[in-house]
């Protein structure tokens, strides 16, 4: 080609190259692929039709459990989803095509992600922690639909973080029912899906300020359901990660609703059977609350002592570690009413048969702040601690721990020799033996505890003739109730609800 027409076409091509270089988007910035751009109105209409067609294609779901079924429609759907993600690269496209049809876009997202989650047949086994305290990779259930869902999550995430997506338009579709359904997806067995959900919810909370209180309430309801009903939730760790960021932004002093949330959700989460899985995140959230309000440390110590695990040494070790961290935040004056329960629990851990638990409890006495507590309340603590430490220093079966007990005996004597000798005289070896597990679980005490439960069962049967006693894990040696009473007398006020 030569002449003026050739020069004109070359000049047009060069100008298109300059525009592409100036925008930095290249050929993908064009709203329609393979179309001429002679008429802007025509291009706008075609781009709108193409966008709506792609949204409609992505709104159709398939049976992803069979890879040989609907192969071509699935591939076309993935290609359409990729083109929708490219639309978000240009804020003009978002403002011109996406925002006016945000209802269709959100509906497409909901049709894809809101679905029945694959069931884990081994879910019941996760209620009891192993030594590792986690879930093996082999036990993770992989959702066959995930490769087709990942693009939807990426599109949703990009839509939220896009500057052209304004709060006023987006908040209309973030309703309580939407957040509730969205949080249920956190129970997915697919860890990659939970990671996308965490990032999306975090961005929604950051962007939609008018919806923050609603999101916090939904998270609260999710935790309460786990505490009082299901006892497990796969996405608890991810929700607590989000919550840690939220707590960091709380103003001081804390509002009453935040304090209530800490007391009715954060503390009872410790008693959930699967709490070993998310204990690290739970501890982080608890300590963040305490950094905002030190007075919350006392209710947390009370909760730890109330929900202390029974027959679960890995979880006991976690509780001991958290208890030591929390004690360093407590005010001594407010801690005084809890001193008897606290040291009784530590004595039980030290004198127990589980080596790791006993060793972790001994670590308390290496902490200067804890020794200060011991010294401040020595009139109460020494009679409880000294006799059992002296007894175990002579009789403990493990040589290394026995050496630690002997060292602790020396430390206690150096703190106050007079109080040490007085505690030995008033407590004597008999008191130490009475605190040991061998005497705690003897037959007379077992019979007495069982008699109390039989009396309560008889009362319950009078109130409800159809009452059936629960199947207990122990029969003659049942001491679960006595162990969790922390030495309190069993009365009608201890029952839930009280009689």
């Amino acid at each position: 080609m030569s002449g003026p027409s050739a020069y004109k076409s070359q000049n047009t091509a060069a100008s298109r190259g300059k525009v592409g270089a100036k925008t930095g988007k290249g050929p993908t910035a064009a709203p329609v692929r393979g179309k001429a751009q002679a008429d802007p109105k025509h291009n706008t209409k075609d781009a709108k039709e193409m966008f709506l067609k792609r949204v409609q294609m992505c709104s159709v779901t398939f049976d992803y459990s069979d890879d040989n079924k609907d192969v071509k429609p699935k591939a076309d759907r993935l290609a359409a989803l990729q083109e929708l993600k490219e639309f978000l690269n240009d804020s003009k496209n978002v403002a011109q095509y996406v925002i006016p049809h945000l209802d269709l876009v959100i509906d497409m997202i909901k049709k894809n992600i809101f679905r029945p989650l694959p069931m884990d047949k081994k879910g019941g086994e996760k209620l009891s922690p192993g030594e590792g305290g986690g879930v093996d990779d082999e036990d993770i259930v992989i959702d066959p639909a995930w490769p087709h869902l990942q693009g939807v999550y990426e599109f949703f995430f990009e839509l939220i973080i896009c500057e052209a997506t304004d709060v006023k338009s987006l908040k209309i579709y973030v309703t309580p029912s939407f957040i509730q359904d969205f949080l249920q997806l956190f129970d997915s067995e697919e860890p990659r899906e939970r990671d996308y959900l965490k990032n999306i919810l975090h961005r929604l909370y950051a962007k939609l300020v008018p919806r923050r209180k609603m999101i916090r309430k939904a998270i609260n309801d999710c935790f309460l359901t786990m505490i009082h009903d299901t006892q497990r939730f796969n996405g608890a760790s991810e929700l607590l990660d989000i919550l840690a960021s939220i707590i960091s932004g709380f103003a001081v002093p804390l509002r009453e609703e935040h304090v209530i949330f800490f007391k009715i959700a954060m503390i009872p989460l410790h008693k959930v059977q699967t709490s070993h899985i998310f204990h690290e995140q739970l501890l982080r959230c608890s300590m963040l609350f305490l950094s905002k309000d030190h007075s919350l440390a006392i209710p947390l110590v009370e909760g730890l002592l109330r929900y202390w695990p029974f027959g679960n040494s890995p979880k006991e070790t976690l509780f001991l570690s958290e208890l030591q961290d929390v004690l360093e935040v407590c005010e001594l004056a407010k801690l005084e009413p809890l001193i008897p329960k606290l040291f009784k629990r530590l004595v039980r851990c030290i004198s127990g048969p589980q080596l790791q638990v006993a060793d972790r409890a001994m670590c308390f006495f290496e902490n200067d702040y804890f020794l200060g507590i011991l010294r401040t309340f020595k009139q109460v603590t020494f009679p409880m601690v000294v006799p059992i430490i002296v007894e175990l220093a002579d009789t403990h079966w493990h040589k290394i721990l026995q050496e630690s007990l002997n060292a602790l005996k020396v430390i206690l004597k150096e703190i106050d020799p007079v109080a040490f000798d007085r505690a030995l005289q008033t407590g004597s070896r008999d008191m130490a033996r009475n605190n040991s597990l061998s005497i705690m679980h003897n037959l007379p005490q077992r019979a007495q505890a069982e008699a109390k439960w039989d009396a309560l069962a008889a009362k319950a049967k009078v109130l409800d003739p159809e009452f059936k006693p629960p199947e207990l894990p122990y029969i003659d040696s049942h001491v679960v109730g006595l162990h969790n009473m922390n030495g309190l007398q069993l009365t009608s006020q201890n029952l839930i609800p009280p009689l």
Side-chain angles (χ1 to χ4, degrees):
M1 183 182 295
S2 59
S5 61
Y7 173 77
K8 183 178 180 181
S9 70
Q10 289 175 2
N11 189 35
T12 304
S15 63
R16 284 200 301 266
K18 290 180 181 179
V19 171
K22 188 176 295 185
T23 59
K25 298 294 183 181
T28 59
V32 184
R33 291 182 173 182
K35 300 281 186 179
Q37 300 188 29
D39 186 2
K41 294 183 180 179
H42 181 70
N43 287 341
T44 301
K45 183 179 179 181
D46 288 347
K48 179 180 177 180
E49 292 178 356
M50 187 202 79
F51 173 76
L52 295 177
K53 183 178 180 181
R54 297 298 182 266
V55 171
Q56 185 178 5
M57 289 177 64
C58 294
S59 299
V60 180
T61 57
F62 300 94
D63 180 12
Y64 300 108
S65 59
D66 187 357
D67 294 336
N68 298 321
K69 190 176 179 180
D70 299 321
V71 177
K72 188 176 185 305
K74 290 177 183 178
D76 293 341
R77 179 184 175 282
L78 287 175
L81 191 57
Q82 181 61 34
E83 292 184 20
L84 284 180
K85 287 192 289 183
E86 291 177 0
F87 254 87
L88 302 179
N89 293 335
D90 189 349
S91 58
K92 291 183 178 179
N93 287 339
V94 176
Q96 192 170 2
Y97 306 116
V98 179
I99 299 300
H101 303 94
L102 196 57
D103 55 337
L104 299 177
V105 173
I106 297 296
D107 189 58
M108 179 271 291
I109 294 172
K110 291 165 64 174
K111 286 181 178 178
N112 280 275
I113 65 176
F114 293 163
R115 71 204 189 282
L117 296 174
M119 294 182 63
D120 182 11
K121 297 180 180 179
K122 298 182 179 181
E125 299 177 3
K126 298 176 184 177
L127 293 177
S128 300
E131 292 299 325
V135 181
D136 296 334
D137 292 339
E138 297 178 357
D139 295 333
I140 296 175
V141 177
I142 303 300
D143 189 348
W146 172 246
H148 302 270
L149 292 172
Q150 184 176 1
V152 179
Y153 280 117
E154 291 175 352
F155 173 80
F156 193 16
F157 180 78
E158 293 294 334
L159 176 64
I160 295 170
I161 65 175
C162 181
E163 295 181 358
T165 307
D166 59 295
V167 174
K168 184 178 180 180
S169 300
L170 187 60
K171 74 174 184 179
I172 298 174
Y173 305 98
V174 182
T175 60
S177 60
F178 178 87
I179 292 297
Q180 185 177 4
D181 293 339
F182 191 82
L183 288 180
Q184 292 306 312
L185 295 174
F186 277 87
D187 202 24
S188 171
E189 295 285 338
E190 175 59 67
R192 293 170 294 183
E193 181 173 12
R194 296 201 303 269
D195 193 51
Y196 273 101
L197 290 166
K198 179 179 75 171
N199 292 329
I200 289 172
L201 185 60
H202 189 273
R203 292 289 184 172
L204 279 175
Y205 187 88
K207 187 162 190 169
L208 302 182
V209 177
R211 295 289 183 264
R212 288 184 177 180
K213 186 174 183 178
M214 182 189 71
I215 294 174
R216 290 198 303 269
K217 184 180 183 303
I219 295 176
N220 183 23
D221 293 342
C222 189
F223 284 145
L224 292 178
T225 301
M226 179 169 57
I227 292 167
H228 302 292
D229 185 15
T230 61
Q231 290 292 310
R232 57 163 294 184
F233 189 73
N234 291 318
S237 299
E238 287 77 11
L239 285 181
L240 288 169
D241 279 336
I242 297 172
L243 198 58
S245 301
I246 295 174
I247 296 169
S248 299
F250 284 168
V252 178
L254 292 176
R255 289 191 294 189
E256 185 180 2
E257 65 170 295
H258 303 326
V259 175
I260 293 174
F261 172 75
F262 177 77
K263 292 181 178 180
I264 69 171
M266 288 289 97
I267 296 177
L269 272 176
H270 290 81
K271 73 174 181 178
V272 176
Q273 293 181 0
T274 52
S275 65
H276 60 281
I277 299 175
F278 54 83
H279 187 269
E280 180 182 350
Q281 292 80 8
L282 179 58
L283 175 60
R284 183 186 174 199
C285 290
S286 299
M287 297 309 293
L288 283 171
F289 264 111
L290 299 190
S291 67
K292 301 285 184 178
D293 187 353
H294 290 356
S295 65
L296 296 177
I298 300 300
L300 182 54
V301 172
E302 290 178 337
L304 289 172
L305 295 175
R306 182 185 305 122
Y307 303 128
W308 200 269
F310 171 72
N312 189 340
S313 54
K315 194 171 179 180
E316 271 194 281
T317 305
L318 294 175
F319 268 53
L320 285 167
S321 300
E322 180 171 359
L323 181 60
Q324 185 173 352
D325 292 339
V326 175
L327 284 176
E328 295 185 1
V329 187
C330 294
E331 298 179 19
L332 290 180
K334 295 182 179 180
L335 187 62
E336 185 174 2
L338 298 176
I339 291 298
K341 289 183 180 180
L342 172 63
F343 278 84
K344 185 175 182 179
R345 175 57 60 196
L346 291 176
V347 166
R348 285 184 178 181
C349 292
I350 293 173
S351 61
Q354 225 291 330
L355 181 61
Q356 284 80 9
V357 173
D359 184 61
R360 187 64 190 83
M362 287 290 293
C363 293
F364 276 70
F365 296 91
E366 299 175 3
N367 184 279
D368 292 335
Y369 189 79
F370 180 79
L371 289 177
I373 296 174
L374 180 72
R375 188 181 298 108
T376 303
F377 303 104
K378 60 187 176 183
Q379 300 299 329
V380 178
T381 59
F382 267 53
M384 299 177 67
V385 174
V386 170
I388 193 68
I389 296 299
V390 172
E391 171 72 14
L392 292 174
D394 295 337
T395 62
H396 202 278
W397 60 273
H398 195 271
K399 184 178 180 181
I400 297 178
L401 195 58
Q402 189 178 18
E403 293 176 356
S404 300
L405 288 163
N406 277 294
L408 177 57
K409 182 172 70 173
V410 174
I411 293 173
L412 292 174
K413 194 167 186 176
E414 290 177 351
I415 290 176
D416 193 331
V418 176
F420 183 89
D421 294 336
R422 188 186 303 116
L424 277 181
Q425 292 173 2
T426 56
S428 73
R429 293 293 179 92
D430 293 335
M431 178 178 285
R433 294 190 181 94
N434 288 336
N435 280 309
S436 66
L437 291 179
S438 60
I439 198 67
M440 277 180 58
H441 295 176
N442 65 8
L443 292 178
Q445 285 186 345
R446 291 179 183 178
Q448 185 181 5
E450 290 299 333
K452 291 178 180 179
W453 288 112
D454 291 340
L456 289 173
K459 288 183 179 180
K461 201 158 189 178
V462 171
L463 296 174
D464 184 5
E466 297 182 358
F467 170 77
K468 293 182 180 180
E471 296 182 3
L472 303 174
Y474 307 100
I475 307 301
D476 294 334
S477 59
H478 174 59
V479 293
V480 176
L482 181 62
H483 180 92
N484 288 335
M485 286 299 295
N486 282 325
L488 296 176
Q489 291 296 322
L490 188 64
T491 66
S492 61
Q493 297 303 317
N494 298 132
L495 300 177
I496 302 176
L499 294 178

